[in-house]
Amino acid sequence: MKEQDYDSHFSVPYLLILPSMIILTLFLYWPTIQSVILSLYRTAPFGSRRIYSGFDNYINLFTDPVYRASLVRSAVFVLITIFGGLAVSLVLSVLVNQKLKGIKIYRTIFFIPYAISPTVAGSLWVFLLNPVAGHINYFLDLLFNVQVPWLTNGFFAFIAIIIATIWKNMGFNIIFFLAGLQSIPDSVYESARIDGANAFQIFRKITVPLLSPTTFYLIIMNIIFTIFQSFGIVDIMTQGGPADATNIVIYKLYRDMFVNFRPGLAAAQSVILLILVLIVTFFHFKYGSRGVHYQ
Amino acid sequence: MRKSRKDLINKIFTHLLLMAISFVVLMPILLAISVSFQPRNQIFSYPPSLIPNRFYFGNYINAWNLVNMDRLLLNSLLASGIVMIGKLALGVLSGYAFSHFEFKYKKTLFFAILFTLMLPMQVRVVPLFEFVSNLGLANTYSGLVLPFLASATTTFLMRQHFLTIPKSLMESAQLDGCGPFRFLFQILIPLSGPTLAGLATVNFLVMWNAYLWPLIILNSDEMKVAQQGVKMLFTSASERDWGLIMAGTIMVVIPTLVVFLLAQKFFVKGIATQGLKE
């Protein structure tokens, strides 16, 4: 038998990568490059002819109050969703990070919304929040005697998509917070307890700081998800309305392409999102390991 | 004695608290199930009821017929199955290249694959739509699944997993004259059950839950997928027929829940090691 060395099969690794590379090049890299190119063109009215227009699309976007409002709205949406979502998730994670019979069942329940699609999440919440047959307004009426116009008032529609997004993404945060919590050694808690710290002090002075690497990672991931994953929720719940109140960047992009048929303008919005992702990723790598606690 | 009693009370209290929270978290699903079994007059009665008076299946039958649910579910099942298998196959191959071989441009190629994590659908959707349409694949299964077939995450996680398998195994396989492909199929893959299961679950659900791309590339009713069915329920049901809409929504979410509950352990593991999602 001839002895084989895999390094002598010099073409094998390239063959192994080839199928993945073909798909990624054709369907990920190529269209992304095309987005950049397309963003420099505008389409002639009534025709398929494309005319080079330099940075016009970008100038139009940034001078358009609708797009600027959409950017600001998206930033507020992301901030509130992340802050609210991480706070809720952290509390729930601490609760299910206990040695208790049946704790796994509770964990499973908390993960379930994460497996559900944005469209289904949107549909479930539209029902819950509807003013006629929905249960939330019934209970709000019963308890506080208020009727909230959830999806017909701009402010409340905005809150509604935030609630649905937090509910849907909670599971992801809990998975990571739990992993983070379980890596904190029991001895740290024990010595704190011996020193007479109460549960709240332990949470504030030990749990929160020791979880900071996880929290940082989750903030980065949540920025990206909240921007990109909210499309289905918005499309089912509000279609960007009422009066643009929930018209976040991702929804405006879709509408400019597939409703208003302005590919150049939509491509420019894609490029802006791409730059945003690159900036966020850059921060992730640059500051990912700073200001964090290690044992 | 006193301490154990205090412990017991603590435990009961914690259980009650967790049960209450679980109920709140599941409330959107539980109420949707409840409403889906209620006839119209019960849904619109005041106060709204939490439990159906009797099990009424009319909403399910009407929702099924209204949006051709059989076709939507079949399309989603096919697309998700193909994507799941395709991503695993391609990811196993490329992961193996990066875990067990040394070659020129290895680092560059690995980076090129991982970099695609930064290219979500929305940053390339306009040209992608034009490209797939120009290939003549608009409104086809191929057009639907092709952009999802390769993934950086699957490649990365397969590589990570293969790296945990001792090098000595490969050396002795080489000595026995076992070629690189036989080594992959007869030794590495059989040792990768849980990792493959985890990635299969996540990849299946990613495609099952995908909405934007199907919405854009599919336009005939017989090609549409289940997530589009949810939107169709809202647009084609007569003025807010909540029983029907919730029944349809429940049908779309059942496969998600079944896959999630069956493979929960693997799913959580798959997510916990996953960065960006498509």
Side-chain angles (χ1 to χ4, degrees), chain A residues 30-92:
Chain A
W30 176 241
T32 306
I33 295 165
Q34 286 291 313
S35 277
V36 178
I37 297 170
L38 192 57
S39 75
L40 303 175
Y41 283 79
R42 69 184 171 86
T43 311
F46 309 113
S48 54
R49 210 159 59 85
R50 282 183 176 155
I51 305 157
Y52 180 77
S53 61
F55 287 99
D56 279 6
N57 286 320
Y58 294 96
I59 294 166
N60 287 340
L61 278 175
F62 284 110
T63 51
D64 175 11
V66 177
Y67 187 69
R68 286 210 304 241
S70 170
L71 274 177
V72 173
R73 193 178 298 122
S74 305
V76 174
F77 170 68
V78 167
L79 275 177
I80 301 179
T81 308
I82 294 181
F83 189 76
L86 289 183
V88 171
S89 311
L90 179 57
V91 171
L92 293 185

Side-chain angles (χ1 to χ4, degrees), chain A residues 6 29 50 114 117 119 235, chain B residues 15 112 130 178 211 227 249 277:
Chain A
Y6 287 4
Y29 276 114
R50 282 183 176 155
Y114 183 64
S117 71
T119 38
D235 192 44
Chain B
H15 270 295
E130 292 178 349
C178 170
Y211 179 55
Q227 303 302 327
T249 304
K277 318 182 310 170

Side-chain angles (χ1 to χ4, degrees), chain A residues 193-220:
Chain A
R193 251 178 248 119
I194 290 166
D195 292 344
N198 64 33
F200 181 69
Q201 283 170 328
I202 289 177
F203 180 74
R204 260 208 58 194
K205 301 276 181 188
I206 295 177
T207 311
V208 173
L210 284 179
L211 276 181
S212 58
T214 311
T215 311
F216 181 80
Y217 172 78
L218 283 175
I219 290 173
I220 298 281

Side-chain angles (χ1 to χ4, degrees), chain A residues 176-188:
Chain A
F176 282 90
F177 273 139
L178 257 183
L181 286 170
Q182 283 167 358
S183 69
I184 301 175
D186 284 342
S187 58
V188 179

Side-chain angles (χ1 to χ4, degrees), chain A residues 1-7 9 12-14 16-17 19-21 23-24 26-32 34-35 38 50 92 95-96 98-101 103 106 108-120 123-128 130 132-136 138-139 141 167-168 170 172 175-176 217 221 224-225 228-229 231-232 235-236 239 250-251 253-254 257-258 263 266-267 270 273-274 277-278 281, chain B residues 11 14-15 17-19 21-22 25-29 31-32 35 43-44 46-50 90 93-94 96-98 101-104 109 112-113 115-116 118-120 122-132 146-147 149-150 155 170 173-181 183 205 209 211-212 215-216 227 230-231 234 242 245-246 249 252-253 256-257 260-261 264 267-268 271-272 274-278:
Chain A
M1 264 278 148
K2 196 176 68 148
E3 188 186 308
Q4 293 199 357
D5 180 357
Y6 287 4
D7 292 342
H9 298 265
V12 169
Y14 298 106
L16 290 169
I17 300 169
S20 288
M21 273 327 254
I23 298 281
L24 295 175
L26 285 181
F27 298 101
L28 284 98
Y29 276 114
W30 176 241
T32 306
Q34 286 291 313
S35 277
L38 192 57
R50 282 183 176 155
L92 293 185
L95 280 175
V96 290
Q98 304 185 56
K99 288 184 189 78
L100 203 65
K101 219 174 178 179
I103 199 78
Y106 299 118
T108 306
I109 289 172
F110 294 173
F111 296 155
I112 284 177
Y114 183 64
I116 289 175
S117 71
T119 38
V120 167
S123 173
L124 299 175
W125 281 96
V126 171
F127 168 70
L128 275 178
N130 91 78
V132 184
H135 294 72
I136 289 194
Y138 168 70
F139 286 112
D141 192 25
W167 179 76
K168 201 206 114 39
M170 219 168 53
F172 181 84
I175 289 173
F176 282 90
Y217 172 78
M221 286 300 139
I224 294 180
F225 283 13
F228 292 106
Q229 294 261 301
F231 176 81
D235 192 44
I236 296 289
Q239 292 91 50
I250 213 69
Y251 203 72
L253 188 167
Y254 163 76
M257 172 66 195
F258 297 98
S270 286
L273 287 176
L274 174 65
V277 175
L278 293 177
T281 315
Chain B
K11 268 184 186 163
T14 315
H15 270 295
L17 182 68
L18 284 170
M19 274 179 213
I21 297 173
S22 301
V25 169
L26 289 183
M27 193 178 64
I29 304 170
L31 285 177
V35 165
I43 295 171
F44 285 99
Y46 196 87
S49 30
L50 293 176
L90 267 53
L93 294 180
S94 50
Y96 178 46
F98 292 113
F101 294 87
E102 288 307 323
F103 51 98
K104 226 178 165 184
L109 287 166
I113 288 184
F115 191 81
T116 60
M118 271 165 269
L119 311 176
Q122 285 88 343
V123 310
R124 56 196 155 90
V125 65
V126 177
L128 185 64
F129 168 71
E130 292 178 349
F131 177 56
V132 173
L146 272 173
L149 278 189
T155 300
M170 188 176 82
Q174 281 179 6
L175 286 177
D176 291 344
C178 170
F181 285 100
F183 177 69
L205 286 182
N209 290 348
Y211 179 55
L212 179 61
L215 181 68
I216 289 164
Q227 303 302 327
V230 176
K231 180 70 183 262
F234 278 90
W242 291 114
I245 295 174
M246 288 302 109
T249 304
V252 173
V253 82
T256 307
L257 295 179
F260 171 74
L261 292 174
Q264 197 229 129
F267 177 77
V268 170
I271 293 298
Q274 187 184 17
L276 258 176
K277 318 182 310 170
E278 276 92 330

